[in-house]
Amino acid sequence: MELEPNNTFDTRTNTGVGQGFNFYASYGNYIGPGDNDYHLLYVPEAGDTISINTSGRGSYADDVDTTITLFNQYYTLIGFDDDSGINRNSSLTYIAPVAGYYYFNVAGYLGDTGNYDITVNLTPHLTT
């Protein structure tokens, strides 16, 4: 579960992805009015693939309409998704061009609120 406050780059939740783990799951998160949930991950090598997925939680599979915004280590927006997952869930896949820290934000679309789960996967690039 996320730890509040995590509404800024400075107060983000560290997923541990790329820092000894290639998978992160957080269940029972909540997006309140005006809430933005920031998270940090690390990509060890250029060409590694980041996959971030949300799913609604609660009495309905689409409890909250989420968005995912991905940023590089300089806080520059490099990826965004709204509704590529099942129902109103978000799903973002990104091949990192450089190693380093990446941040992502989960928010409610147009201020939507509710419960959600999140999974993050880091897939190392294949070397030949």
Side-chain angles (χ1 to χ4, degrees):
M1 185 179 302
E2 67 172 317
L3 298 175
E4 291 286 355
N6 64 343
N7 298 329
T8 67
F9 290 109
D10 291 335
T11 61
R12 82 276 177 195
T13 299
N14 188 347
T15 65
V17 169
Q19 302 165 327
F21 301 97
N22 285 345
F23 177 77
Y24 170 79
S26 181
Y27 303 104
N29 303 297
Y30 179 74
I31 296 175
D35 194 10
N36 288 282
D37 295 339
Y38 282 83
H39 303 268
L40 172 73
L41 60 95
Y42 182 74
V43 173
E45 293 186 44
D48 290 352
T49 301
I50 301 165
S51 299
I52 306 166
N53 296 282
T54 64
S55 60
R57 185 173 183 85
S59 57
Y60 300 98
D62 58 350
D63 191 39
V64 62
D65 186 359
T66 58
T67 63
I68 299 171
T69 307
L70 183 65
F71 304 88
N72 66 15
Q73 61 190 343
Y74 305 109
Y75 312 126
T76 302
L77 188 148
I78 56 173
F80 177 82
D81 183 75
D82 176 32
D83 296 343
S84 288
I86 297 170
N87 295 323
R88 297 180 298 161
N89 296 302
S90 299
S91 180
L92 187 143
T93 300
Y94 182 79
I95 299 173
V98 297
Y101 288 97
Y102 289 79
Y103 301 86
F104 66 93
N105 164 315
V106 178
Y109 178 72
L110 295 178
D112 197 14
T113 62
N115 301 298
Y116 72 97
D117 297 336
I118 187 167
T119 58
V120 181
N121 290 287
L122 180 68
T123 305
H125 73 285
L126 298 175
T127 56
T128 54

